[in-house]
Amino acid sequence: MKELVNELNSQLIGIFSHLHNNPEVSWNEYKTTDYIKQLFEDHNCKITTFEDVPGLVIEIGHGKPVVAARADIDALWQEVDGSFTANHSCGHDAHMTIVIGTLMACLRKGLPEKGTFRFIFQPAEEKGTGALAFVEKAIVNDVDFLYGMHLRPLEELHHGQFTPAIRHGAARFVEGTIQGDDAHGARPHLNANAIQIGAELIQHLNNIHINPMVPHSVKMTAFQAGGESHNIIPGSANFAVDLRAQTNAVMQELTEKIHNIADMLGNYHDVEINLKTTADIAASVTNQEAIQLMEEAIRETTGSDHLEQPIVTTGGDDFHFYTIKKPHLKATMLGIGCDLQPGLHHPKMTFNHSIIPKAIEILLSAMNKTAESYA
């Protein structure tokens, strides 16, 4: 396996560079889709694209079992060096390269010898809605095992360490509006200042107390109020709140408290505060069989010294919607240690690219073991 992957290394460097330098945000990954498609158009594989959404599915082999690997393909929209731009600060460029490399290695080696390998290049993970869209397209209806992956920050794994499962928490994104009337800057008694209401909202969010034994957090991540006329007290504003919880039950408790806070502040200030959930990512559902197969693949390709226990993290990933919506699926996510710093979603995130070939070896081994074990 190692020699086979090493033969692809120079090509993979070019692929990663292209993906990294051409990021596209959620639901706009059409050029990324076209790029991946053209890599395999001349090979013996089935390629499926969609008229209404970006992303694609590539399949090789035939029959059972159906073993799938999923890569998320979208980038974040964030400020980098003073300008807002699409940016691969979550490692999806690496995830794509790993899955592409695994497929290339399979084509060179004539894998799978048994069953079907399906490679899923999914859009809009950052919006928390891409996996649900692909579930609706029946992409995983006949899949038996599903493997994902994610680069892990340095605080979780060092370079060369791998974990056979990532136990993500739940995540929920809420958008809100404060709707009131503007007032003259000299007459603050005539309205409720939306900026002040926003500050009070932040204070009350910080005062939420839930069982500290369950990791959770809630924080405001966007707030816009006022305009170019600085002598107007704004009565309206838009804001966003990011919620995280290790369990779905605590996520529900957090959500109820936020709605209670919004109702209370709206009544006190005589304004209307509306909340809308824009994305909802459930806590992970993993499978012990899939975890065991991934653990065996890590041991086989890297040795036991590089195998770490499953990670519990408050981060979320819409990968888990596949198993929630299709309970028959046996799934897990490979955690990849690559000295990633300063952290995921940091605009200047960096990681050790040399980990990509080793991750390909592990994923290839896991898929092959699965096919051989369940044929």
Side-chain angles (χ1 to χ4, degrees):
M1 293 286 188
K2 184 175 182 179
E3 293 75 14
L4 179 62
V5 174
N6 285 340
E7 291 174 7
L8 296 168
N9 196 44
S10 60
Q11 187 177 1
L12 293 172
I13 291 171
I15 289 170
F16 174 84
S17 179
H18 175 89
L19 295 169
H20 180 77
N21 292 321
N22 294 275
E24 295 178 295
V25 296
S26 302
W27 296 124
N28 289 279
E29 309 98 322
Y30 289 103
K31 291 182 180 179
T32 302
T33 300
D34 291 341
Y35 175 75
I36 298 172
K37 179 183 177 183
Q38 61 86 26
L39 289 174
F40 297 101
E41 283 180 322
D42 295 332
H43 292 81
N44 183 26
C45 51
K46 177 184 176 183
I47 301 176
T48 303
T49 56
F50 311 95
E51 293 183 359
D52 55 338
V53 296
L56 71 159
V57 177
I58 304 177
E59 188 172 294
I60 56 177
H62 61 275
K64 285 286 195 175
V66 179
V67 184
R70 172 268 208 174
D72 30 21
I73 68 174
D74 56 330
L76 289 156
W77 182 258
Q78 64 183 157
E79 187 175 359
V80 182
D81 294 330
S83 299
F84 278 89
T85 184
N87 187 38
H88 273 304
S89 59
C90 200
H92 294 186
D93 44 2
H95 302 167
M96 285 185 278
T97 306
I98 291 165
V99 174
I100 288 169
T102 303
L103 174 51
M104 286 181 167
C106 288
L107 290 169
R108 287 202 179 193
K109 195 171 178 60
L111 295 174
E113 296 178 355
K114 303 173 183 178
T116 302
F117 284 176
R118 186 172 298 162
F119 299 87
I120 301 168
F121 297 92
Q122 178 216 297
E125 187 279 325
E126 298 294 354
K127 293 291 186 181
T129 51
L132 288 171
F134 269 24
V135 167
E136 291 176 2
K137 292 186 177 299
I139 286 169
V140 296
N141 280 11
D142 61 342
V143 172
D144 299 292
F145 283 82
L146 175 65
Y147 296 116
M149 73 222 64
H150 210 297
L151 305 184
R152 303 317 302 161
L154 182 59
E155 62 186 3
E156 292 183 359
L157 291 177
H158 289 276
H159 181 74
Q161 295 178 321
F162 298 90
T163 177
I166 305 172
R167 303 192 189 280
H168 283 105
R172 185 166 291 169
F173 309 140
V174 175
E175 292 182 357
T177 59
I178 301 169
Q179 296 178 334
D181 297 321
D182 291 349
H184 194 287
R187 298 172 177 83
H189 60 292
L190 295 181
N191 84 331
N193 188 335
I195 297 175
Q196 180 179 329
I197 296 171
E200 292 176 18
L201 177 57
I202 291 172
Q203 185 61 50
H204 284 290
L205 294 179
N206 290 337
N207 288 337
I208 291 176
H209 295 292
I210 292 177
N211 184 356
M213 298 301 291
V214 181
H216 62 274
S217 69
V218 54
K219 76 292 296 180
M220 189 175 289
T221 54
F223 190 89
Q224 295 89 32
E228 295 184 4
S229 298
H230 297 168
N231 61 344
I232 295 176
I233 302 171
S236 298
N238 300 307
F239 62 90
V241 180
D242 177 295
L243 296 79
R244 307 282 167 156
Q246 201 58 52
T247 67
N248 294 319
V250 168
M251 175 58 73
Q252 185 59 36
E253 189 176 355
L254 275 177
T255 302
E256 291 172 358
K257 287 183 178 293
I258 290 171
H259 279 270
N260 290 339
I261 292 169
D263 290 342
M264 179 270 293
L265 289 174
N267 290 332
Y268 180 79
H269 289 288
D270 195 25
V271 297
E272 188 174 344
I273 302 179
N274 295 310
L275 301 178
K276 178 180 70 174
T277 297
T278 58
D280 191 7
I281 302 171
S284 63
V285 176
T286 54
N287 174 269
Q288 193 55 45
E289 287 181 71
I291 292 172
Q292 182 62 39
L293 287 161
M294 185 62 75
E295 181 177 319
E296 291 174 8
I298 294 170
R299 289 183 189 276
E300 178 182 87
T301 56
T302 69
S304 297
D305 291 345
H306 296 273
L307 172 66
E308 297 296 320
Q309 292 299 309
I311 289 173
V312 176
T313 177
T314 53
D317 197 296
D318 78 346
F319 175 85
H320 305 295
F321 276 128
Y322 290 110
T323 47
I324 289 170
K325 295 297 182 180
K326 300 296 178 181
H328 74 277
L329 268 178
K330 299 174 181 179
T332 191
M333 295 187 78
L334 170 68
I336 302 168
C338 52
D339 285 351
L340 187 154
Q341 53 189 322
L344 293 167
H345 290 201
H346 189 283
K348 296 296 183 67
M349 184 275 279
T350 62
F351 71 96
N352 189 333
H353 297 178
S354 67
I355 204 64
I356 290 176
K358 184 56 66 177
I360 292 171
E361 290 180 47
I362 294 171
L363 181 58
L364 184 59
S365 174
M367 296 182 74
N368 202 41
K369 282 179 177 293
T370 306
E372 290 177 348
S373 299
Y374 291 86

